[in-house]
Amino acid sequence: MGNTRLICDPNELRDLFLFEKLNDEQLAWLCRDGRVEMFEPGLVFREGDLATCFYVLMEGEVRLTKMSGGEEIELVRTEHHGSYAGAWTAYMGDKVDQNYTGSFYVTRPSKFFVLDAGTFAKMIQEWFPMALHLLEGVFFGNRNANEILGQRERLLALGSLSAGLTHELNNPAAAAVRATSSLRERVAGMRHKLKMMAHGKFDSATLEALVQLQEEAAAQVAKAPTLTSLEAADREDELGDWLESHNISNGWDLAPNFVQGGFDIDWLEKVHGTLHECGTDVFEGAIRWLNYTIETELLMNEIADSTTRISSLVNAAKQYSQMDRAPFQVVDIHELLDSTLVMLARKIGDDIAVVKDYDRGLPPVPCYAAELNQVWTNLIDNAVAAMGGRGTLTVRTYRENECVAVEIGDTGPGIPVEIRSRIFDAFFTTKPVGEGTGLGLDISFRIVVNKHHGDIRVESEPGNTRFIVRLPIESQEVAAAPLQDGAVQADTGGN
């Protein structure tokens, strides 16, 4: 874009609020080391480029934009004389990122006073040393405070998740221990029963048939159908009656195992037909031996289910924490969401229905996976709290332009209009004292917007609150600066 250099008049600079308190010598220095330029409409600088100049608007109109979720969003449009933009943190040197944090446009022919970044830094450092120390103190003090409080927020969330994970792991672990103990007893009983059967009147053909029945029983347990409580109760009554009618003592105690294993009266008739000539005692011993077989298979299934559950929880924990994985990677966003839901399962509880509406055709997303998991944790935790532990939690994914959109919805009372603009502010919370820190959504905002160049917004009405996170599908040179650097700053001042 072409521009014209003009004569710098110290008196004209004195009319700008930034320079109104400077003396004649300082104004002369500015005119000597700076310059006045006329810019035609168009781009002055682009977001992300190296910040080389500091601009002060003298005449005209400008607008400042920032990329959000793959779209350029206008933050400020002003014609206020003295508004400034550009390398305004140059005086802090390499202590902070020295790139433009937004894009700067001229909307009509406009006149600027321009200082090179190095010249502007030298001016601040030499003319206002005390102010420089105060500015640095505020800037880095806030950054350190945000870092400490952010770490505390993450530790609090981690402690809550760890307690929930411990509880979730304890249940299948305890079930596996109980099943192993019962299995030991059943195997011992089977050995004892086999010894008794060996003294019975079995010929080789009958014994072979009995072993075949045992194999069938083991195979049947593996494919047993799932019954409703009413169906199971009806079958237990039928099998209990049948066992009692065939002189099997305490047959009602055996019936539930046969039903759980998927057996019916026809199968028991088959066993009876094979062994009826051996006598009642032998037949009852065979039934109990088969019962031990069924119990053994059922217990082994329980152990397998429990250990699989433990393995799934451990894998979910590794996925959630991104243990042993690079901080920045390209991932399937659904894996992150699923691992977070597993980690929060205890907090979500049984009275909240979880609906997952995933677009499995979405491409992988370049991101800091562990930090996005923290975003999902904060949003889901808030949704659960808003619903008071009862309602429907909806997790939805879809494509929106060149972004992947993740929507966390709840059926709570909604967010009042008067506080909706403040929910992403640090320390703002609607939770009772001691329950909320007011940092969860602030951290989420900075992770999504500052670190991933994405966007996070909320749409809310009673019974339908949705937080929508948009993440660029293509990497936009994701910021390497620490999260605690603070929220987006509009480089334009003086309004």
Side-chain angles (χ1 to χ4, degrees):
M1 179 181 64
N3 54 74
T4 304
R5 188 156 182 168
L6 305 175
I7 296 174
C8 181
D9 181 356
N11 292 322
E12 198 173 13
L13 293 184
R14 184 177 278 115
D15 290 337
L16 302 174
F17 76 93
L18 281 178
F19 307 135
E20 62 184 0
K21 299 298 183 181
L22 299 183
N23 59 39
D24 291 343
E25 182 181 353
Q26 290 171 324
L27 291 172
W29 186 93
L30 286 177
C31 278
R32 184 183 69 248
D33 288 4
R35 59 189 181 275
V36 175
E37 294 186 38
M38 180 66 73
F39 286 76
E40 295 301 318
L43 178 70
V44 178
F45 58 75
R46 187 174 301 281
E47 178 180 352
D49 289 347
L50 181 65
T52 58
C53 293
F54 177 74
Y55 300 86
V56 182
L57 179 64
M58 300 176 72
E59 293 178 8
E61 184 184 62
V62 297
R63 68 186 186 98
L64 180 72
T65 70
K66 188 169 182 64
M67 294 300 295
S68 177
E71 296 183 13
E72 193 170 15
I73 307 299
E74 182 174 304
L75 302 179
V76 177
R77 181 184 291 260
T78 182
E79 56 183 20
H80 183 80
H81 297 173
S83 297
Y84 56 88
W88 65 277
T89 59
Y91 51 81
M92 294 189 186
D94 57 7
K95 297 176 184 177
V96 300
D97 180 34
Q98 293 296 343
N99 292 324
Y100 293 122
T101 60
S103 296
F104 195 57
Y105 295 88
V106 169
T107 60
R108 64 173 185 259
S110 301
K111 184 166 71 172
F112 291 90
F113 176 71
V114 184
L115 280 175
D116 291 335
T119 304
F120 175 62
K122 180 181 178 182
M123 179 193 79
I124 297 295
Q125 291 163 357
E126 292 184 1
W127 293 1
F128 312 108
M130 181 177 178
L132 176 60
H133 291 312
L134 291 173
L135 285 170
E136 287 183 338
V138 171
F139 184 88
F140 294 111
N142 285 339
R143 190 170 77 173
N144 293 337
N146 283 335
E147 179 180 8
I148 293 170
L149 292 171
Q151 288 175 346
R152 181 178 182 274
E153 177 79 3
R154 289 189 283 271
L155 286 173
L156 289 173
L158 182 60
S160 177
L161 289 173
S162 298
L165 180 62
T166 301
H167 178 81
E168 291 294 320
L169 286 171
N170 181 66
N171 288 337
V177 171
R178 289 194 303 270
T180 302
S181 177
S182 298
L183 180 62
R184 189 183 302 276
E185 295 176 4
R186 299 305 181 271
V187 171
M190 184 182 292
R191 290 197 303 267
H192 177 68
K193 190 59 63 179
L194 183 60
K195 179 180 178 181
M196 293 177 63
M197 290 173 61
H199 294 291
K201 298 178 181 179
F202 288 93
D203 56 31
S204 59
T206 303
L207 189 58
E208 183 178 350
L210 184 58
V211 172
Q212 180 61 36
L213 289 171
Q214 184 185 34
E215 294 292 336
E216 291 179 11
Q220 174 60 35
V221 172
K223 56 184 180 182
T226 301
L227 304 176
T228 65
S229 299
L230 185 59
E231 290 173 336
D234 289 342
R235 289 199 182 186
E236 288 175 14
D237 289 342
E238 293 174 0
L239 265 63
D241 289 339
W242 189 93
L243 292 170
E244 288 290 329
S245 67
H246 287 74
N247 300 317
I248 305 297
S249 60
N250 299 321
W252 293 101
D253 295 333
L254 305 182
N257 289 333
F258 281 98
V259 171
Q260 189 177 354
F263 300 96
D264 53 22
I265 290 177
D266 290 341
W267 192 82
L268 292 177
E269 289 286 1
K270 180 180 178 181
V271 177
H272 184 259
T274 302
L275 303 174
H276 73 282
E277 296 180 356
C278 299
T280 302
D281 291 342
V282 172
F283 174 65
E284 180 173 359
I287 287 293
R288 294 190 181 281
W289 185 49
L290 291 171
N291 178 64
Y292 280 130
T293 299
I294 295 168
E295 280 193 295
T296 299
E297 291 296 323
L298 291 173
L299 288 168
M300 286 193 292
N301 286 347
E302 185 177 348
I303 292 171
D305 290 342
S306 298
T307 52
T308 299
R309 174 64 177 160
I310 292 172
S311 178
S312 298
L313 286 168
V314 171
N315 287 337
K318 290 178 67 176
Q319 175 66 259
Y320 179 84
S321 65
Q322 293 294 299
M323 181 171 32
D324 301 328
R325 303 186 186 188
F328 185 76
Q329 53 188 297
V330 179
V331 300
D332 181 348
I333 207 73
H334 303 110
E335 293 180 359
L336 304 184
L337 291 167
D338 285 340
S339 67
T340 304
L341 288 170
V342 170
M343 295 294 289
L344 292 173
R346 182 165 177 259
K347 178 170 286 190
I348 293 172
D350 298 329
D351 293 328
I352 291 181
V354 179
V355 176
K356 295 193 286 188
D357 181 11
Y358 290 169
D359 178 359
R360 293 292 185 179
L362 291 176
V365 176
C367 65
Y368 290 91
E371 295 189 24
L372 280 186
N373 279 339
Q374 188 177 359
V375 173
W376 315 141
T377 298
N378 291 335
L379 296 181
I380 293 173
D381 183 61
N382 284 346
V384 171
M387 291 186 286
R390 185 181 299 275
T392 300
L393 174 72
T394 302
V395 182
R396 181 176 173 229
T397 64
Y398 54 93
R399 183 162 184 159
E400 187 174 302
N401 300 321
E402 295 305 311
C403 295
V404 165
V406 177
E407 193 175 286
I408 308 295
D410 68 71
T411 55
I415 302 172
V417 176
E418 58 269 20
I419 68 170
R420 207 170 294 171
S421 62
R422 301 177 57 198
I423 60 174
F424 294 109
D425 293 349
F427 307 111
F428 178 78
T429 179
T430 59
K431 296 178 181 178
V433 176
E435 291 187 18
T437 62
L439 290 173
L441 289 179
D442 171 58
I443 290 174
S444 298
F445 180 91
R446 287 187 278 130
I447 290 173
V448 173
V449 177
N450 294 6
K451 199 152 192 179
H452 290 87
H453 301 297
D455 177 52
I456 181 170
R457 66 181 187 270
V458 62
E459 298 177 3
S460 182
E461 61 184 31
N464 182 22
T465 295
R466 294 175 296 127
F467 280 86
I468 303 163
V469 174
R470 295 192 303 167
L471 300 166
I473 293 173
E474 298 294 332
S475 176
Q476 298 184 16
E477 298 181 3
V478 176
L483 175 62
Q484 62 267 20
D485 277 356
V488 178
Q489 301 221 23
D491 286 351
T492 304
N495 291 308

